[in-house]
Amino acid sequence: MLKFRTLLLFLSSILLTVSLSVPVVASSEPYYGKEYSQPEQVLDSYPDPGADFDTPAFTTDGKSFTSQEEMMDFVRDLDAKKRFIEMTIIGESVEGRKVPMLEFKKGNNSKQKPTVWIHSQIHGNEPAAGETALVIANKLAGKRGEKILDKINVVMVPRVNVDGSYHFQRQNVTGLDLNRDHIKLESPVIKAVHKAFNDKQPEVSIVGHEYGIKHNSQLFKDIGEQGSLAYHDILLQSGRNLGIPEQIRDMSFDLFISNARDKLTERGYSNDIYYTVAGRNEEGQLIINEPTYGADRGPSNLGLQPAISFITETRGIGIGRESFERRVGSAVTAQMSILETTAQHSKTVKKVVENARKNTVKNGRKADTDDKVAITMERKQVNDQDFTVTDIATGESVDLKVEYLSSTQAIPTLERVRPTKYIMPPEYDELADKFKLMGVDVAKTKKPMKLEVETYTVTDKEVDEWEFEGVNQVHVETEVTSQEVDIPEGSYVYSMAQPTSNKLPVTLEPESPASFVTWDYIPSEVGDTLPIYRFMKERALPVQLD
């Protein structure tokens, strides 16, 4: 299964390379992205903030956005101007475009400072996200930035999806949604991002996005005479997966999100916690869904490092250059607030994340039946929550009562005792390579042995009828039992006594929504014993790092 999938990816890459063999040159087409024009009464509710942004999209005439070539010139210029800025190329896209990374470090004590990671425009049709990164880079190169950099380091990938941006599409050119590729790690760009992220070991991460003002239009069409649009200038949230240590989840929300929302409100930007709209309940109320606990998506995946992680989403997909200055302004305000909060609490931030990583290692060494990991979880339902939309006919805000499903208050629905190690057969080398990209230490057994382990037997299986990211996802239920198993020489051993071990349960527990079973990397049939073993004892095994 693994070899076949690898072959398909290889062949598709060859075919794509042949079909795109013409040289990559600057596009003559403007980067419009214009699908909907907001009426004047709506635009009046979202005035430009009067910011003075000195980045390509704001200094170039026309209605297009910053091109690949303009971005590269801009980051090279920053690199040349300031000795505390270093620009490197961390990888190339499928079409051969370079992915730049900027590193901002001052003084000789950078290892004592917390590092903030920023990556943006992982979806190519979200230009305000990428422009926000360039604006922040410019600010960090100035006096305000130099003061912040006395307390923190910043590492930035301003545009992840360079091919998608060039073609102004959400996915990359092979059709992958790169923000769903943090577990599969099939895109060369996402592999490069994860390698750089693991090299830098940031304490804080920010991912920049935009959201569609009309993506809920079918559910909003009966609100007001002409329907309604999304209201909030910006939505933000932190990684909420329950595998992220609790002290990190609490600090991210209680300190960082609170500070950012206060700053946004002070500057006149409407804001809320990141949401999607799931439908309507029996009473006709909208069902508002608070995401960001999926381990295969940016905020929670990076949070499992562990790190304090955030997502910002500005109101902008599909409206071209409309309100562009305001979109960038709101995101700059939120992300600069996160940088400043990190700087103001630099020692505390460093200590909290350091302790979380140490505790993760400590907990992974113990065989404690009271220490459980969450495999699946569900959002807590909160009734009659306040929610706001924009009435198209009047341009005014409309307040509603909705059913709210909260990730912030998520509860586990399936838990298992934390193992000390996971073990897999030698043939699963492709998954071992993925774990290395996730920052997980991979070891192999030096000799064959018999071990008492817990095994999974599949008791139920359902396969989705529709494809998601090219895969008909698999959903299984399993029964866990203890038995003695022959472990061949060269079997892979993944210790839970390492800082990144919170990424192991979300990928290896079969019922996890982001597991390698769910993504069909590990075959499963009812009655099968899966090739994943849970070692539950506090003892070392004869292994060597791979």
Side-chain angles (χ1 to χ4, degrees), residues 46 231-235 264-265 268-272 315 326 330:
Y46 299 92
Y231 166 73
H232 299 94
D233 284 305
I234 187 168
L235 307 172
L264 287 161
T265 300
Y269 295 115
S270 54
N271 61 87
D272 206 342
R315 178 186 183 277
R326 187 176 182 89
S330 66

Side-chain angles (χ1 to χ4, degrees), residues 273-442:
I273 300 302
Y274 177 41
Y275 71 86
T276 59
V277 182
R280 290 186 181 271
N281 62 19
E282 293 180 356
E283 287 73 39
Q285 289 182 326
L286 291 172
I287 301 172
I288 302 302
N289 184 42
E290 185 184 297
T292 74
Y293 70 48
D296 51 357
R297 305 179 189 198
S300 279
N301 185 276
L302 302 183
L304 288 164
Q305 194 70 7
I308 301 168
S309 61
F310 304 96
I311 185 172
T312 63
E313 295 261 0
T314 54
R315 178 186 183 277
I317 293 177
I319 57 174
R321 288 281 306 214
E322 287 181 5
S323 308
F324 192 61
E325 183 182 306
R326 187 176 182 89
R327 287 147 59 186
V328 173
S330 66
V332 168
T333 300
Q335 293 186 21
M336 286 299 293
S337 171
I338 293 170
L339 294 180
E340 288 167 346
T341 298
T342 307
Q344 291 162 8
H345 301 271
S346 58
K347 291 182 180 179
T348 302
V349 168
K350 185 87 174 172
K351 194 67 175 176
V352 165
V353 176
E354 182 181 290
N355 286 341
R357 291 172 180 174
K358 287 180 178 177
N359 288 336
T360 299
V361 174
K362 180 181 176 181
N363 292 339
R365 290 195 181 106
K366 298 183 299 181
D368 183 354
T369 56
D370 292 328
D371 182 20
K372 297 182 178 180
V373 293
I375 312 304
T376 60
M377 56 205 79
E378 67 179 19
R379 299 169 179 89
K380 181 178 179 180
Q381 180 175 323
V382 183
N383 294 323
D384 292 327
Q385 281 282 99
D386 294 327
F387 183 70
T388 306
V389 297
T390 296
D391 187 306
I392 294 174
T394 65
E396 297 178 354
S397 61
V398 177
D399 294 327
L400 310 169
K401 292 293 184 182
V402 299
E403 178 183 314
Y404 193 83
L405 304 178
S406 171
S407 289
T408 305
Q409 303 175 67
I411 54 175
T413 53
L414 175 63
E415 296 178 295
R416 290 194 177 110
V417 174
R418 186 189 306 271
T420 59
K421 299 171 182 66
Y422 288 94
I423 303 173
M424 295 192 71
E427 57 265 31
Y428 285 89
D429 52 342
E430 184 179 354
L431 299 189
D433 290 340
K434 293 182 188 297
F435 279 123
K436 291 174 187 175
L437 285 168
M438 294 180 203
V440 173
D441 287 338
V442 177

